[in-house]
Amino acid sequence: MRAPIGHFDTAAPASDRLDELPGPVADAVRHWSGGVPADHIVHVDTDPQWADTVAFVEHYGRELLEQSANCVVVAAKRGGETTLAACVVLSTTRVDVNGAVRRRLGARKASFAPMDLAVGETGMEYGGITPIGLPSSWPVLVDAAVVDLPYVLVGSGRRRGKLLVPGKAFAELPGAVVLEGLGLPVG
């Protein structure tokens, strides 16, 4: 199969590559239900040596810079309680943690979750966290610009490999809330 975006040597429906995905991601793909067929979620093999964004797009396709999204875990605090959530924004932007995230989650304070907490709670590798397969109780805040793209490159739950996901599928994830302005320009 040819990848819908980028230049990858190996691409296949993620449902055919469950052994390449961590448990929570594999389970989410296995039990996928929504308007986007599961076989439209594509797994591509990538080499961790190209993980840095600049090196990645040079190796796999410069157009991927505008078609990639980052998934970050945030911890929102209010009254001694902490809520974990995921934020999905284009890789050319940054998450508006102190504005959009804090307001949406009704928090006094919001910040990026510590690495050990993010890894422990998701069952995924740091640097590969994906919104597919997150705990169903988590809010998944998705920038509207991500949903508008035909395909988006995101982590696969591991540092090796990525997922190519139709943008509209992000709006169908459990706990998904699509927000305008979640991603702010970098700089």
Side-chain angles (χ1 to χ4, degrees):
M1 145 180 236
R2 188 176 185 295
I5 59 174
H7 311 286
F8 301 96
D9 294 334
T10 306
S15 55
D16 292 348
R17 298 291 175 118
L18 297 177
D19 58 326
E20 301 290 329
L21 304 171
V25 180
D27 287 345
V29 170
R30 187 179 294 113
H31 302 293
W32 185 263
S33 64
V36 174
D39 64 354
H40 288 200
I41 300 171
V42 177
H43 178 270
V44 293
D45 186 43
T46 60
D47 191 324
Q49 77 170 332
W50 306 112
D52 175 69
T53 301
V54 173
F56 189 90
V57 298
E58 283 295 322
H59 189 76
Y60 294 109
R62 295 179 83 52
E63 72 279 6
L64 291 172
L65 186 59
E66 304 292 327
Q67 299 170 329
S68 298
N70 293 322
C71 179
V72 297
V73 177
V74 296
K77 297 178 182 178
R78 182 171 187 94
E81 288 192 31
T82 301
T83 299
L84 295 177
C87 298
V88 183
V89 299
L90 294 177
S91 61
T92 55
T93 65
R94 62 180 176 82
V95 177
D96 183 11
V97 175
N98 292 312
V101 173
R102 196 175 51 73
R103 282 190 303 274
R104 179 65 196 185
L105 299 178
R108 276 183 86 79
K109 181 181 179 190
S111 58
F112 296 108
M115 180 175 64
D116 58 337
L117 180 64
V119 168
E121 293 294 322
T122 64
M124 300 177 201
E125 293 177 4
Y126 192 75
I129 294 175
T130 184
I132 297 173
L134 292 174
S136 61
S137 61
W138 285 23
V140 178
L141 309 180
V142 182
D143 190 273
V146 172
V147 176
D148 289 341
L149 289 175
Y151 266 90
V152 180
L153 176 116
V154 292
S156 67
R158 291 197 171 137
R159 299 250 327 142
R160 179 172 201 108
K162 299 284 186 187
L163 296 176
L164 306 177
V165 182
K168 60 187 174 183
F170 291 96
E172 298 177 351
L173 293 170
V177 177
V178 178
L179 298 173
E180 292 285 341
L182 178 63
L184 297 174
V186 176

